[in-house]
Amino acid sequence: MEQREDVVIVGAGVIGLASALALLETGRSVRVIDAGRVGGGSSHGNCGTITPSHAPPLAAPGVVIKALRWMLTPDAPLYVAPRLDLRLWSWLLRFAARCNDRDWRSSARAKSEILNDSRVRLAEWVRDYGLNCEFAPSGEDYVYRDPREFEHSREEIDFLRELGVRVDVVDGPTYERMEPALKPGLAGAIRFDGDAVLRPDRYVAELARVVRARGGTIVEHCAFEGATTEGERVRIRTAQGEREARELVMALGAWSPKLADAIGAPVLKAAIQPGKGYSITYSSPNLVPRRPLVLRERQVCVTAFDSGFRLGSTMEFSGYDESLNPRRLAALERGAREYLHEPYGAQKQEEWYGWRPMSCDDVPIIGRVPGNERVLVATGHGMMGVSMSAATGQLVADLITRRTPAIDAAPYAIERFE
């Protein structure tokens, strides 16, 4: 017998599960399928910071020159592996075209809108659904050792405040007294009191728990194979047979380009590249930072959870390479040693990598597929998937129920790439 739901969501990462939860709250029946397991992608090992402060996009003036210089440095914070990949180079050209002040500000405003909404909404979800994920309104600090880098970053502060980001600037000696975990010699710090933190793997597990508790179905190891729209229904082919739904949501993250043709959205192949990130999780050292940190010159994120201690970040464009690059992992530890008295814990619990879905304007892609009103995409969140998850879920639910969205949907529409 043919089985039906109101909505089938492909992808059981943070975006797919957040969308499922928001849709269940509207009364829709929801089934989530995933080729792997819940939270098996980039939702698992990132640093868990919830960051309205990170509105400025990666596509910034000067980034292209820096990236070209770093191509000969395999452990650089931003690394493009030299290779013949026409799709990558096409994406890089689109990315480079955005590295100007006008487009940088435009993308930052779009990111800020969804980040600010998600920051408030996520705290409400933690409270209302009892999500046990080590959430804390911690704030976050950018820390600098190079006075030139510190002064350069201060040039963005007025714009960040215009976006509603709470920003304070502290000189090096003062910050060293505030944060004993850091070695002396700091140029200064920029503090963001509105940011927060959670343990991302536990957040995703808790979303899955609540989705199931509210009647949603999650099917792991069930690969999506294709879909056909037939009138007011979508016929969905999976490794476990066919299903029908009124709507289909594709929340596939970095795998979106691989299935773009299957949903009639080939533009995703040009708009998204997988950006590989790394992290290492340890037992907690004796002396840990009081707030999450970004060690700016090395682009290393430092997060102390109740249950562990994590170093993470880096951006590597190497396609879907599945190797765990020891040089890039070592760069995280080396960067931490420059700044921290105790850069890592005694026990290494996990070494991890994951692919982030990097759109060429560093703004997520959320909305209906042109010419196929029954299929929506929710992808392209880059390094901000956890930070943007609650707002993305609500926007997907608003679009499907055709309610006025909580935020303007236009900046995230797929049509901007056509």
Side-chain angles (χ1 to χ4, degrees):
M1 185 175 67
E2 201 165 66
Q3 297 173 306
R4 301 183 178 186
E5 283 84 24
D6 291 328
V7 184
V8 168
I9 298 173
V10 184
V14 71
I15 298 301
L17 293 171
S19 299
L21 178 53
L23 280 162
L24 287 165
E25 290 299 308
T26 72
R28 298 302 197 270
S29 61
V30 177
R31 174 174 291 258
V32 183
I33 65 172
D34 197 288
R37 57 181 177 82
V38 167
S42 60
S43 304
H44 175 80
N46 68 53
C47 284
T49 50
I50 311 303
T51 49
S53 63
H54 286 32
L58 182 63
V63 166
V64 173
I65 298 300
K66 186 177 292 186
L68 290 172
R69 187 170 67 246
W70 280 343
M71 284 186 74
L72 301 178
T73 309
D75 59 356
L78 173 61
Y79 177 61
V80 181
R83 66 190 192 280
L84 182 60
D85 182 336
L86 296 181
R87 192 166 288 165
L88 169 65
W89 288 102
S90 174
W91 183 93
L92 287 170
L93 287 173
R94 288 185 175 215
F95 176 88
R98 302 280 307 184
C99 292
N100 59 78
D101 187 70
R102 178 179 59 83
D103 288 332
W104 178 81
R105 289 175 180 270
S106 174
S107 292
R109 291 188 180 95
K111 289 182 67 178
S112 179
E113 186 76 9
I114 195 168
L115 284 166
N116 288 335
D117 180 272
S118 202
R119 169 65 179 87
V120 174
R121 196 175 300 278
L122 199 156
E124 293 172 350
W125 283 13
V126 169
R127 180 196 66 208
D128 296 344
Y129 299 123
L131 304 182
N132 182 15
C133 58
E134 302 182 42
F135 176 84
S138 58
E140 182 179 30
D141 298 343
Y142 287 180
V143 184
Y144 300 81
R145 296 184 69 84
D146 185 336
R148 293 170 299 178
E149 289 290 331
F150 183 43
E151 288 305 314
H152 177 70
S153 292
R154 291 178 67 172
E155 295 173 4
E156 297 180 4
I157 287 176
D158 287 343
F159 182 55
L160 287 172
R161 287 175 174 153
E162 181 184 323
L163 297 175
V165 177
R166 292 151 55 191
V167 186
D168 289 310
V169 179
V170 181
D171 64 78
T174 300
Y175 191 77
E176 289 167 15
R177 292 192 293 271
M178 296 169 63
E179 182 47 86
L182 284 160
K183 292 179 177 179
L186 298 179
I190 300 176
R191 292 167 58 83
F192 304 102
D193 287 341
D195 288 4
V197 68
L198 52 72
R199 176 95 186 208
D201 50 343
R202 297 191 176 183
Y203 171 52
V204 174
E206 284 289 276
L207 286 177
R209 175 185 64 80
V210 176
V211 165
R212 289 181 172 123
R214 278 162 169 69
T217 301
I218 302 172
V219 184
E220 298 177 298
H221 309 293
C222 179
F224 171 83
E225 296 178 347
T228 305
T229 300
E230 300 175 355
E232 296 184 354
R233 309 293 295 181
V234 182
R235 187 179 297 275
I236 300 152
R237 301 184 301 280
T238 80
Q240 297 185 19
E242 290 193 353
R243 304 194 71 86
E244 278 197 356
R246 293 182 182 176
E247 313 267 1
L248 173 66
V249 177
M250 301 294 287
L252 281 170
W255 285 267
S256 299
K258 288 182 172 289
L259 289 167
D261 288 334
I263 59 169
V267 70
L268 291 178
K269 293 186 290 185
I272 293 178
Q273 274 287 312
K276 194 174 182 182
Y278 293 82
S279 72
I280 312 173
T281 306
Y282 311 83
S283 58
S284 295
N286 294 319
L287 183 60
V288 300
R290 295 170 177 173
R291 289 155 58 117
L293 305 177
V294 177
L295 313 178
R296 285 290 286 179
E297 288 85 357
R298 300 303 174 211
Q299 293 296 323
V300 174
C301 182
V302 181
T303 312
F305 305 114
D306 292 340
S307 57
F309 183 78
R310 182 167 291 170
L311 305 177
S313 197
T314 82
M315 178 62 66
E316 175 186 326
F317 290 100
S318 56
Y320 294 94
D321 170 55
E322 296 182 358
S323 62
L324 192 64
N325 190 327
R327 293 188 65 172
R328 299 192 69 75
L329 291 169
L332 295 175
E333 294 185 329
R334 185 168 61 252
R337 286 196 299 269
E338 289 184 31
Y339 290 78
L340 299 173
H341 287 294
E342 296 188 36
Y344 29 81
Q347 179 186 0
K348 186 178 291 186
Q349 299 173 347
E350 182 180 34
E351 294 180 335
W352 173 90
Y353 75 85
W355 294 294
R356 296 87 149 233
M358 303 301 299
S359 69
C360 51
D361 59 0
D362 203 14
V363 175
I365 306 168
I366 308 165
R368 298 184 185 276
V369 171
N372 196 345
E373 285 292 295
R374 297 277 165 189
V375 180
L376 290 86
V377 295
T379 186
H381 294 79
M383 296 177 282
M384 302 285 105
V386 172
S387 286
M388 295 177 175
S389 58
T392 298
Q394 187 61 53
L395 181 54
V396 167
D398 290 341
L399 291 171
I400 284 179
T401 58
R402 301 189 182 276
R403 297 186 302 198
T404 301
I407 59 175
D408 181 13
Y412 316 107
I414 194 172
E415 285 89 345
R416 71 184 190 271
F417 297 113
E418 294 185 335

